[in-house]
Every structure is written in structure tokens, then in C-alpha cells.
Amino acid sequence: MIKQRTIAKSVDSVGIGLHKGKPIKLRLEPLDVNSGILFYREDQGVTIPLHPDNIVDTQMATVIGKDGVTVSTIEHFLSALYAYGIDNLRVVLNDNEMPIMDGSAASFCMMLDEAGIEEQSAGKRILRIKKTIKVSDGDKYVSLHPSENALFDFTIRFNHPVIAEQHRRFIFSKTNFINEISRARTFGFLKEVQYLRSKNLALGGSLENAIVLDDNKVLNPEGLRFDDEFVRHKILDAIGDLKVLGMPILGEYKAFAGSHDLNHKLTVALLKEVDAYEVITLKVNESLSFAKSFA
């Protein structure tokens, strides 16, 4: 049987918040079986369980909240939790956003490596897709389809010479995530950054934690980490957004020009269609490849 996971010991880090530009303390703590992922704002004394019902904003990032207390930009962190198969964890913060780190999930993977992974006594719950669910906005869409493999298929199209159209089909596993997805950084356009800063947002944004483009080129002196870093980061975001469901998905995710907002609507639509999925506890011999994907 595939077992639930937490971390073996608590770990701490400090990083800059994307929007406020201030240092944020982050601590990860182990939790017992069937606890799920809990965000704890120690400055407010409020615990926010990870669940689609608690997503309160998806305009610029995925934001979780409860009783007026929020935590922003959780998606990069959640993608690392998904890849490492973490089911139970307390995330302690002293402000209203996750540290942006370098704009990817790599720093969070390093934290999890430092903490170590502990297998727990209870079986791991898997969300198996039984029928197709699709959410659209014009020609943009995100969808989930039945499959015996965990796949992410994403296409983006931007009217920009560096990006244009990019497509990637990603076969999920922890190893593949670390090698192919975790280092892909978030990206933005210089004119958008200037507008956000005029609104006192993105104050912590820099070439150290995002790919920034003007009308023609990448402004980061080191250039891109991958030729298709943009679509890889969109897959990273999608994995994090689906982690809000609290368990890994056995199925195929497909998207064209997907977003945090569409991903959230997809999780809500899926949970409403009770015949579209089943929650199962997989024995290893039932899906050996899926079990191996978290090795």
C-alpha cells in the first residue's frame, strides 16, 4: 500500500514576499496522518486548511484565506509538496504571503530535502478521474481526463517574440518534476511590473525572482534556464493549483492558456461532479508506475 507522507523534522527559512518586498519567516512542521496541509498565520493566530473552499483570490496568484486572514502566492510551494507526495504538513508564516524565493519551486524542494520524508501508517488517498471535466473561458480551457498515468499537457500562446506558442507534455514523477519543472521561474512583462508597483504591489519583484520581458527580449542577464521555461512554469503552477484538492490525481490534465482562476474553477467543478472521480487507497501492485512516481 502507498503510504501517507509528512516531513521527518521541522525546517525554517526566510525569504522576500513578492508583493510587500519584506522578509517573511517560513517554518514547515510534521503533522499526523489525515491532517492535510494547514497554513498557520502565527501573527494572527489563524489556521487555514488547504481546500478549494478556502481559495479567496486567483487574479494574480492563488490566495488562501479564512476569517479575513490570507496567505498569497502558495502555488509554487504547493507544487513541491505535490511532487514530494506530502499529505500532512503545517506551514507556519508571520505574514500574508509565501516567500517568492527565486520565482520557482526549487528552494521549496531544497527545504523538503533538508527536512526528509517520513512515511506514515495510513494509506495514501488518491483522486482518480473517472470522466472528463472541462472549464473554459473563450478559447482558454483547463480539463481533467481519465488516465492510468499522471500527465500534464499544457499549451501557451503569447504575442511576444520570445514566447510565441509553447507546448509541453509532462509525465509526472518526483524525479521528472525536480529535473524538468521545479526550476522554471514565474515571468512577467516590464510594463505590467511598472503598473503593479504603482499600486504598491510586486514591491519584492526583481530579476532575482522572475523572468522579466520588455516588448522584444528577456531582460535577465543570465537568460532562460530552459528554451521553453514559460510553459514549464505554467505546468508548475497547475500542479500547485491542483494540490489544493489535498491528494494526488490519477488522470491527465490538459490546458490551453490556463490560469490560476481556471484551475480553481476546475477543482470546484470536479468536486461538484461526484461521479467524475473517486477517492481510493492504491495498493502498489494496482498502479506500480504511479507508486514509483513518488519514489
Side-chain angles (χ1 to χ4, degrees), residues 140-256:
K140 301 174 183 177
Y141 73 86
V142 295
S143 57
L144 286 166
H145 307 263
S147 174
E148 282 307 304
N149 298 294
L151 300 166
F152 292 82
D153 187 297
F154 212 118
T155 302
I156 58 172
R157 187 183 297 147
F158 283 84
N159 184 22
H160 192 281
V162 177
I163 307 177
E165 182 168 314
Q166 296 185 357
H167 168 257
R168 189 165 192 87
R169 186 171 173 83
F170 172 66
I171 301 171
F172 173 77
S173 75
K174 177 186 172 184
T175 301
N176 290 349
F177 178 86
I178 291 169
N179 293 335
E180 300 175 25
I181 302 297
S182 70
R183 294 176 58 249
R185 295 161 295 174
T186 192
F187 60 94
F189 301 93
L190 185 60
K191 54 193 173 188
E192 290 178 0
V193 175
Q194 292 165 337
Y195 170 76
L196 289 171
R197 287 192 172 166
S198 75
K199 301 289 185 184
N200 277 327
L201 295 170
L203 300 178
S206 72
L207 297 177
E208 301 295 317
N209 55 38
I211 304 166
V212 182
L213 305 105
D214 64 12
D215 290 340
N216 302 300
K217 64 185 181 298
V218 172
L219 298 180
N220 304 61
E222 76 279 11
L224 298 175
R225 294 176 175 176
F226 309 94
D227 289 343
D228 61 348
E229 189 167 357
F230 305 98
V231 73
R232 290 181 194 233
H233 184 78
K234 287 291 191 177
I235 291 173
L236 187 156
D237 278 346
I239 291 170
D241 286 342
L242 291 182
K243 177 63 177 173
V244 174
L245 289 164
M247 60 194 94
I249 291 173
L250 186 55
E252 180 169 4
Y253 168 96
K254 289 185 181 179
F256 173 74

Side-chain angles (χ1 to χ4, degrees), residues 264-294:
H264 172 55
K265 288 174 177 170
L266 181 65
T267 62
V268 172
L270 176 67
L271 294 182
K272 282 183 179 175
E273 290 275 347
V274 293
D275 61 340
Y277 70 94
E278 61 179 342
V279 176
I280 58 173
T281 303
L282 277 185
K283 293 182 174 63
V284 173
N285 61 0
E286 287 178 322
S287 183
L288 192 57
S289 62
F290 194 65
K292 284 181 177 177
S293 68
F294 294 102

Side-chain angles (χ1 to χ4, degrees), residues 39-60:
F39 287 86
Y40 178 64
R41 282 281 303 275
E42 62 179 357
D43 57 318
Q44 300 287 332
V46 173
T47 295
I48 312 167
L50 185 66
H51 190 277
D53 289 348
N54 289 335
I55 299 302
V56 296
D57 188 11
T58 51
Q59 187 174 0
M60 293 170 50

